[in-house]
Amino acid sequence: MKERISRWFHLLFAAVILGSTQGDRAHAQTPPGDQTEVRDLSKPPPRKLGVDISLLSPGWHERARKADGPAVIIRFGGPAAPLDQVGKIMPAGAIRMTPEVAGEWKWQRAERLEFYPAGGWLPPGIYRFEAGPGLLAEDCELAANADFGRNLRAPKLSAGFQERSYYIDPATPALQQLVTTVDFSQPVSLDEARRHFSVTSVTGIGIFQAGSQAQVLPEPLNPLRFYLRSPLMKPGEKEDLILFSFRAGMRPVSGGEPTRENLETKLTAFSRDSRFFMQSASTMLRKTTEGEPEQAVLIEMSIPARTAEIARSAQVWKLPPEEKNSRGEIVSWTKDNVTDEVLAKSRKIAFELIASPDAPPMEAAFALRVPRQPGGKVFVMVPKDTAGPGGFVTPEDFREVIHLPAIPREAGLVGSGGLLALNGERKLHVRSRGIDHLRYTVARVQTSQINHLVSQTRGSFESPYFYGGFGFENVSDYEQSVQPIVKEHDYSVNHSSFDFAPLLRARQPGA
């Protein structure tokens, strides 16, 4: 049995060797044809890379005073740059751009190539790119589906309008303009901007002052930015839309295709009763230059105005105590339930404008000083058609209920304290307001305990504090006294003094 298996194995091995020999012999005898591929197996196959091309509009770097970023970015699907070219400027001819634009191509990374125009921006238009000799590393080539040579359009000139506002000259309120700021996507000359700029009324009403012209003012530190001003205007009976427009046909400094559409924005021109109004009212308790508290009403306006003129139109009432409804609930005063009947039961408060000698001629808020009185609810009103700056008037009555804070009750020592001479006056001087009686507590440190006062305290002389549970009661003798205060009225400042000479005499030896 073993001999039979061995014989079959030798026959199979001989058949394999014979077949292999005949195959090699037949291959050696076959002449090479046109379809035979000859490859150099000493080098690895080239890497196929995809490509993506982006055309950008750089911004403006304020500090560096130049365009910020590249105008063309070419991204490859993998490392594509020759090793000695990464981070360097590409030699001329390695990549071609049609139409030609002066500038520099630079490999920022092995897979990213960027173009920086000499003028900072790429002129608007259609561009085509073509790879030249030496662009890619030797082991790279573009994939068959890499559309490197397609037509691409550089960003067209565009405009962004910012910071729209209605300007009123603080010194001469009749001088009014609509103003805005425009940022172009790339520099435009001042002459080009002025030649294409116009300001018109959408409705065509005569809102502009005769002989006044629109203005285009450049930003000295930013060639992309201009400040735009309408002709001088006056508030009309109705609101209007004003069109700020740069007509089609503008060309940037870099050249290229002109704009095909108008670059424009619309701003609102206010009517005489839509711009000026009282925004809010509040109260405050402020200190005078002498340190005295005073109650005041603060009113804020929508635009700056001559506060002395507006204050003459304001009115303030002290409202009566709030009443209860049929369910026994207190009904709070609001601007809606304060009627003429309620005001007839209220007390009208005289006031005066708090004016600062160095204040500007026009302000957006003003404060009214009211006589000292108990705290409580007050009603503030500025009537409709109150004249504001430049022909504006308030559109309706301004009504508001606010809480007036009470003058605080307070007491304190005059000055910041100090040492008293043994042979001097034995009095403490006290300043108080709104208080009927004062309780004085005086602690006299015993002579034998002065060392403990020094060793057991920390902090300042005026405000010492003790360690642990040790206190003044451990080192001092106390004396208390209650003294009535004679007041002119609840808000007057009263000066009194406490004579502690009897305390000293009572504690002297032998007394």
Side-chain angles (χ1 to χ4, degrees):
M1 184 68 178
K2 292 182 179 179
E3 292 179 356
R4 186 179 300 174
I5 293 174
S6 176
R7 185 180 303 163
W8 279 106
F9 175 78
H10 285 294
L11 289 174
L12 177 62
F13 182 72
V16 170
I17 293 177
L18 179 60
S20 174
T21 303
Q22 291 177 348
D24 291 343
R25 189 175 299 162
H27 177 71
Q29 294 175 355
T30 304
D34 295 338
Q35 303 299 322
T36 303
E37 181 181 1
V38 179
R39 292 185 297 173
D40 184 359
L41 300 180
S42 64
K43 296 182 179 180
R47 292 181 292 115
K48 305 286 187 178
L49 299 178
V51 64
D52 178 73
I53 307 177
S54 301
L55 275 59
L56 311 173
S57 184
W60 176 253
H61 195 291
E62 295 280 358
R63 184 174 297 178
R65 306 274 184 89
K66 65 177 183 179
D68 187 17
V72 182
I73 298 178
I74 301 180
R75 300 177 181 87
F76 294 91
L83 291 179
D84 60 345
Q85 294 294 320
V86 177
K88 297 181 180 179
I89 304 300
M90 287 286 296
I95 183 171
R96 291 182 289 273
M97 178 170 59
T98 306
E100 294 184 359
V101 176
E104 296 178 338
W105 287 94
K106 183 178 181 179
W107 283 104
Q108 288 290 359
R109 295 193 294 272
E111 70 281 356
R112 180 182 174 114
L113 182 63
E114 298 180 350
F115 177 68
Y116 296 84
W121 286 267
L122 202 62
I126 297 177
Y127 292 85
R128 186 177 180 85
F129 301 89
E130 182 180 354
L135 174 64
L136 304 178
E138 293 183 356
D139 62 339
C140 298
E141 63 181 35
L142 295 176
N145 61 348
D147 194 5
F148 193 83
R150 71 182 187 276
N151 292 336
L152 296 172
R153 178 175 291 279
K156 60 183 180 180
L157 179 64
S158 60
F161 295 89
Q162 312 292 335
E163 301 177 6
R164 302 170 174 86
S165 63
Y166 192 100
Y167 173 77
I168 300 177
D169 188 275
T172 309
L175 300 180
Q176 303 173 24
Q177 291 175 295
L178 283 169
V179 298
T180 187
T181 303
V182 61
D183 288 329
F184 289 107
S185 57
Q186 57 176 288
V188 175
S189 70
L190 178 59
D191 289 341
E192 187 79 358
R194 286 175 173 170
R195 186 165 54 251
H196 289 82
F197 181 62
S198 64
V199 179
T200 56
S201 167
V202 173
T203 61
I205 63 176
I207 196 171
F208 301 120
Q209 297 185 19
S212 179
Q213 300 293 327
Q215 297 173 289
V216 179
L217 306 175
E219 165 56 59
L221 303 181
N222 188 344
L224 306 183
R225 181 170 298 163
F226 292 92
Y227 302 107
L228 311 177
R229 292 177 174 269
S230 73
L232 296 177
M233 53 200 313
K234 55 185 178 181
E237 294 300 323
K238 296 182 179 180
E239 287 190 350
D240 192 13
L241 286 178
I242 304 301
L243 183 67
F244 283 58
S245 178
F246 291 93
R247 296 186 304 276
M250 285 186 67
R251 292 182 185 271
V253 173
S254 63
E257 297 178 351
T259 56
R260 298 182 180 181
E261 300 176 347
N262 295 342
L263 307 176
E264 56 192 27
T265 187
K266 294 177 182 178
L267 282 71
T268 300
F270 298 99
S271 64
R272 62 189 302 269
D273 60 357
S274 65
R275 178 59 172 159
F276 179 59
F277 51 88
M278 306 299 116
Q279 286 187 316
S280 64
S282 59
T283 57
M284 60 180 176
L285 196 64
R286 63 188 297 270
K287 291 283 188 179
T288 64
T289 54
E290 294 79 19
E292 293 296 315
E294 65 178 8
Q295 298 158 308
V297 175
L298 179 67
I299 299 179
E300 296 185 71
M301 300 175 288
S302 59
I303 56 176
R306 299 190 184 278
T307 55
E309 299 174 4
I310 309 303
R312 284 195 290 267
S313 300
Q315 302 176 65
V316 182
W317 287 267
K318 181 66 180 298
L319 295 173
E322 295 168 328
E323 299 178 352
K324 296 182 179 180
N325 59 17
S326 58
R327 296 188 298 272
E329 302 169 337
I330 295 178
V331 179
S332 299
W333 292 124
T334 67
K335 62 182 180 180
D336 297 320
N337 63 15
V338 175
T339 62
D340 292 341
E341 290 76 14
V342 174
L343 293 181
K345 302 176 184 178
S346 305
R347 177 172 55 86
K348 201 165 188 177
I349 301 176
F351 57 81
E352 59 178 325
L353 178 67
I354 301 175
S356 175
D358 55 350
M362 299 177 63
E363 296 183 277
F366 61 95
L368 306 175
R369 180 188 296 111
V370 300
R372 291 174 178 173
Q373 56 192 289
K377 295 291 182 66
V378 296
F379 180 74
V380 180
M381 186 181 76
V382 179
K384 177 182 177 180
D385 292 332
T386 296
F392 290 104
V393 296
T394 53
E396 58 186 4
D397 290 346
F398 172 78
R399 303 162 59 90
E400 193 62 81
V401 174
I402 51 180
H403 181 78
L404 187 68
I407 299 293
R409 300 173 62 192
E410 54 187 352
L413 296 176
V414 176
S416 58
L419 295 172
L420 297 177
L422 291 177
N423 58 354
E425 187 181 36
R426 304 292 197 271
K427 290 183 178 181
L428 291 173
H429 298 281
V430 179
R431 183 174 179 271
S432 63
R433 176 186 289 104
I435 296 175
D436 297 321
H437 295 78
L438 286 175
R439 181 191 299 275
Y440 295 93
T441 301
V442 180
R444 177 181 179 273
V445 179
Q446 301 171 12
T447 305
S448 60
Q449 299 295 326
I450 292 179
N451 60 323
H452 293 114
L453 176 65
V454 175
S455 63
Q456 299 302 312
T457 62
R458 297 183 62 186
S460 63
F461 175 82
E462 295 83 0
S463 182
Y465 59 93
F466 289 85
Y467 296 104
F470 200 80
F472 272 114
E473 63 274 7
N474 301 107
V475 296
S476 305
D477 295 324
Y478 281 86
E479 182 74 16
Q480 287 189 342
S481 174
V482 176
Q483 179 177 324
I485 303 298
V486 179
K487 301 183 297 181
E488 294 182 7
H489 52 76
D490 289 340
Y491 313 108
S492 62
V493 176
N494 300 280
H495 295 274
S496 57
S497 61
F498 173 70
D499 187 359
F500 60 92
L503 173 64
L504 296 177
R505 289 195 298 270
R507 302 302 179 187
Q508 290 177 357

